[in-house]
Amino acid sequence: MAAPQGFAYEERADGTVRITHHHRTATVLRGDRAARFVREAESGDPQLVMARWTGNYRRGNERTARSHPRHAR
């Protein structure tokens, strides 16, 4: 599996952190969560940290799983 790519984050003057994925806002963190995120991003692999914090763990098999008989309605 390839490492996550295309993430960026921006710390703002009001203490919020905006995380983007391919230039589109993925999430905005405020307060203690923003501070924890910045510490974690600076101490590890920022791309992986941003993927985890935004919940972007797609593996590409969603369409296949959706058509599985177990998910029939």
Side-chain angles (χ1 to χ4, degrees):
M1 182 181 93
Q5 309 177 23
F7 288 98
Y9 73 94
E10 168 189 11
E11 294 180 69
R12 296 186 173 173
D14 64 357
T16 62
V17 174
R18 180 175 157 247
I19 301 175
T20 60
H21 186 245
H22 296 293
H23 307 289
R24 299 176 86 179
T25 300
T27 192
V28 176
L29 304 172
R30 294 173 177 84
D32 293 337
R33 292 191 70 209
R36 281 188 298 155
F37 166 78
V38 170
R39 282 194 304 271
E40 192 174 330
E42 290 175 347
S43 66
D45 176 9
Q47 292 292 307
L48 188 59
V49 171
M50 286 182 272
R52 189 169 53 77
W53 277 74
T54 60
N56 189 333
Y57 278 109
R58 293 187 179 161
R59 302 289 185 235
N61 63 352
E62 292 85 6
R63 187 171 296 144
T64 306
R66 191 176 330 140
S67 64
H68 191 276
R70 175 179 47 207
H71 301 291
R73 293 179 192 233

